[in-house]
Amino acid sequence: MADAILELEHLSKRYGDYLAVDDLSMVVPQGAVYGLLGPNGAGKTTTIRMIMRIIAPDSGEVLLDGRPVDDDRRRLIGYLPEERGLYRKMKVLEHLVYLGTIRGVSPGESRKRATAWLERLELADWSAHKVEDLSKGMQQKLQLIGTLLHRPRLLILDEPFSGLDPINTRTLKDLLLQMAADGVTIVLSTHVLPQVDELCTHICLINRARAILAGTLDEIRAAYGGNVWRVHTELAPETVGALPGVVSVKRFADELLVELDGGAGPRDLLRELVHRGDIDSFTRFTPDLENIFIRAVEEDRSNVG
Ligand code: ATP
């Protein structure tokens, strides 16, 4: 596995009697796009605020490159908070220059980088406007640029897609994929699961303050997919259902979903199928993330003692 850039070790945070984060551990490998998922109130924002040292954990530790985060090393991170905070009366480009300089970039370099980003995110015409003239989605793009000006190695984005229309959602997704390809590690919290499917290499699902599922998306999909195969065929479900090792057959759009018992392998099934008729396609069934999310949360709920 790639080296970890960020490690959370047994983090806990209590608000009065309420345990908002409970013994949460998480490892973010270098270069990952790491999705922090979970229902409302699960503890995602609290976790991110502890990473950013905005609030202190009651116990546990956050390590960046294997060492505790201090003010200096926090500069390696670009952080987009859940609540957006911009000075409404400032002009767009000036605001970005200000954000760049407070993160240690010279005014000249901040201006250069900000101008390029405004161009890239189609906000160049707004450079001399006041922030308050921009729509909510545009302000969000502006704030995102502010988090990128110091070229962080780790981006932490709290609900970056909220309030964006489909076109800007696409733009942001492409931008994040490009940054990931350039080696930037990204941690993002979101409820928008199709985005996670397209973007994330790893996820951690938080429910009721605890991590209930974590790993690479591929591992998690395989674990939840079971021994189930999608078959596009003219064969009748009854014919397929009678084959050795087949536990159940369901129709799924114009395909059959064939569940095999634990010991049966796909090769034997495929051989039997080909023997009996035409097979147009044969692939492993991978459940979508929404199903996994709902199943994991329901299983966790039914585990409540
Ligand atoms: P959402 O998806 O709705 O943004 P979240 O997973 O980010 O939720 P958090 O904002 O971390 O959840 O909140 C976790 C829990 O802690 C919630 O029940 C919330 O009400 C509580 N909480 C958060 N901040 C505070 C605070 N400052 N004082 C008291 N309780 C808080």
Side-chain angles (χ1 to χ4, degrees), residues 249-286:
V249 179
K250 285 189 207 125
R251 279 204 178 279
F252 180 71
D254 57 353
E255 298 176 322
L256 300 179
L257 274 192
V258 184
E259 185 185 354
L260 294 180
D261 70 34
R267 216 181 272 176
D268 293 335
L269 172 65
L270 184 58
R271 195 178 302 121
E272 294 286 344
L273 289 168
V274 171
H275 191 62
R276 284 170 175 75
D278 286 341
I279 306 300
D280 294 330
S281 66
F282 184 91
T283 49
R284 183 185 276 281
F285 168 70
T286 51

Side-chain angles (χ1 to χ4, degrees), residues 5-25:
I5 185 167
L6 180 70
E7 292 159 274
L8 313 188
E9 292 184 346
H10 304 288
L11 279 190
S12 293
K13 179 70 193 175
R14 194 176 272 287
Y15 292 112
D17 284 343
Y18 189 79
L19 196 51
V21 173
D22 181 9
D23 194 26
L24 183 88
S25 294

Side-chain angles (χ1 to χ4, degrees), residues 101-172:
T101 50
I102 59 173
R103 283 162 196 149
V105 186
S106 72
E109 186 60 27
S110 294
R111 185 171 295 272
K112 215 166 84 188
R113 292 182 193 177
T115 306
W117 275 114
L118 289 169
E119 204 63 63
R120 181 162 169 192
L121 294 185
E122 296 179 342
L123 285 172
D125 291 348
W126 296 86
S127 299
H129 281 255
K130 285 189 181 156
V131 170
E132 65 187 4
D133 295 340
L134 270 61
S135 73
K136 195 172 150 216
M138 287 170 170
Q139 289 190 26
Q140 186 152 329
K141 287 203 281 187
L142 188 61
Q143 191 152 357
L144 179 73
I145 296 173
T147 69
L148 301 175
L149 290 172
H150 63 299
R151 299 189 174 152
R153 283 176 50 216
L154 171 63
L155 264 185
I156 299 187
L157 311 172
D158 200 348
E159 295 283 352
F161 295 101
S162 77
L164 294 185
D165 66 25
I167 294 170
N168 280 319
T169 298
R170 178 84 260 166
T171 307
L172 175 59

Side-chain angles (χ1 to χ4, degrees), residues 15 18 20 38-47 49 82 158-159 191:
Y15 292 112
Y18 189 79
N40 291 124
K44 305 179 295 294
T45 296
T46 305
T47 301
R49 288 187 178 143
E82 189 181 35
D158 200 348
E159 295 283 352
H191 296 287

